[in-house]
Amino acid sequence: LWLGVPWLTRKSPDLQYPRRSILVLWALLLIPLLIDGLHGSRFFLHSVGFAALCYSLPYLMHRTQVSISRVAPALFLVIFAAALLEWLGLMPFVRGPLYHLSGFVGNPNLLGACLVFWFWIARDRVKSKNLFFLICLCGTLLTLSRAAVLALLICEAWRRFREGQRALFLLVLAVALFCAAYSIKNPHQVREFSSLKIRQHEITLSLEILKENWLLGIGQGAYRHDFYR
C-alpha cells in the first residue's frame, strides 16, 4: 500500500519531484535491501518496509499538506507520558534496560532522542516555551541519558541566543558544558565496567568487523554474532 499509491500517482502534477532526487533516493534505499538479502537477514522485511516508508512519506506529506509541527506537541506528550508511566511502574509490559527508563522504544537513549526531537519540532507551537522546556528536561532526566540532556540544553541555549537573552544563554551554555565534562568523566558503572569503556570496546570491535566486511557488510541482526566471534 505504501509503495503502490505513490507509484500509481507518481505522474500527478502535484507530485513532480526531480528525477535526480528519486534516483539518489532509490540508490540509497537499495543498499540495505541488497545487503540483507545477500546475508539472509531476518530483518529483510524490516528493510523493505523502511524503504517503502522513505519513498512514500514525502509524497504523502506533499499530497495531504500535513504540518509535522501541528502534531508534534501531541506526539511529545504521548512519549513523555510513556516515560512517566514507566517511572511510576504502570507499564509492566515494557521491558527496557533495568537501570534506565526506555518508554516503548526499548532504549533510554532513543527515548531521550525522541523527546528532544519532538521538543525541537513543537517548540513554536506551545504557549509557554519555558514550561515546555522544563517538562522535556524532566523527561530526559528520567531516562538518565546524558546525551539527551546535553542535546536539550544545547537546543535551549540556541533559543535563548536567538531571542537575545544573552544572560540566560550563557547560563544554559555553562550548564551544558558542565554536563559535557560530567559525561566525559562518566561515573556511571554497568556491573564492573563504565558505560564509556563499553562503548570504546564496541567501537574497536566494530572497526574490526568493518575491515573484514568492508564491501557487503554483515546484514542487520548479525552484529551480536560477529561481536562475540
Side-chain angles (χ1 to χ4, degrees), residues 10 26 29 109 113 153 186 189 191 193:
R10 67 189 184 281
W26 273 107
L29 294 180
N109 289 319
L153 292 175
N186 197 52
Q189 298 285 327
R191 295 181 181 176
F193 301 101

Side-chain angles (χ1 to χ4, degrees), residues 203-216:
I203 291 173
T204 301
L205 291 181
S206 298
L207 291 175
E208 293 297 326
I209 295 174
L210 181 61
K211 290 179 182 179
E212 298 177 1
N213 306 273
W214 62 272
L215 181 60
L216 297 176

Side-chain angles (χ1 to χ4, degrees), residues 146 149-150 153 173-185:
R146 296 180 295 273
V149 174
L150 181 60
L153 292 175
L173 184 62
V175 176
L177 293 175
F178 173 78
C179 291
Y182 180 81
S183 299
I184 294 175
K185 184 180 178 182

